Amino acid sequence: MRYEKTFKVTADPAYALGYVADFRTLVEWEPSVQTVQQTRGSGPCAGAVYQINMRLFGQDSEMRYECMEYTGNYAILQGMGDGFSAFDRIDVRPVSGGCEVTYLTDISLLTKKGKMLEPLIALIFGFNVRHAVKNLRKCLTV
């Protein structure tokens, strides 16, 4: 399941990338996330590791994310949870009045049951993505 959203915000590009790539902020904008603990690194940086507790489909779930790359204009994070994996890429580029953020997430379901339920799961993740983008726009509009 692949989701990609591009949106404009008034925040400075460096601030926007730092905010979105620092997964400790997920609790502020991702509706399913309950807690996040950074277990390696300090803030957003290559090698940072985040332990995420979330509520998905009525059940508590854990996920471990690692920041694989962090540069001046993009970050790549990879995650693994119980029965699924995720690849996230965050790109920012300066535009007049702020920056444009492109958030791509590619979620792979790893179990037979997950693959069977993929159409339903895709609807729910799509709902979460729309709300996350709405929340991010608020958080990054200064």
Side-chain angles (χ1 to χ4, degrees):
M1 296 175 293
R2 183 181 171 106
Y3 303 91
E4 185 172 355
K5 299 290 182 186
T6 300
F7 52 96
K8 186 178 174 187
V9 296
T10 59
D12 170 81
Y15 176 82
L17 179 62
Y19 181 85
V20 180
D22 184 348
F23 271 20
R24 292 174 299 177
T25 68
L26 283 173
V27 296
E28 299 171 16
W29 55 271
E30 212 307 332
S32 63
V33 173
Q34 296 177 320
T35 63
V36 178
Q37 180 181 7
Q38 187 165 6
T39 59
R40 187 170 71 203
S42 178
C45 61
V49 175
Y50 303 91
Q51 188 67 33
I52 301 166
N53 296 302
M54 59 185 84
R55 186 127 180 107
L56 294 170
F57 317 112
Q59 296 183 350
D60 291 333
S61 181
E62 290 187 0
M63 189 164 194
R64 179 187 183 274
Y65 259 98
E66 182 170 354
C67 184
M68 309 307 288
E69 295 182 48
Y70 186 87
T71 70
N73 61 347
Y74 76 91
I76 295 175
L77 295 99
Q78 291 183 311
M80 181 64 73
D82 186 25
F84 62 97
S85 65
F87 170 89
D88 292 32
R89 180 176 173 122
I90 305 142
D91 289 276
V92 297
R93 69 178 190 88
V95 296
S96 178
C99 66
E100 184 177 83
V101 177
T102 300
Y103 197 115
L104 164 77
T105 187
D106 194 354
I107 300 163
S108 298
L109 302 173
L110 306 175
T111 65
K112 186 175 181 179
K113 182 180 178 182
K115 290 177 183 182
M116 286 175 36
L117 295 172
E118 187 168 338
L120 176 61
I121 293 169
L123 286 173
I124 294 167
F125 271 116
F127 175 81
N128 270 11
V129 167
R130 286 189 299 279
H131 281 276
V133 168
K134 180 180 174 184
N135 293 339
L136 269 175
R137 281 186 172 136
K138 288 178 186 175
C139 292
L140 294 173
T141 299
V142 289

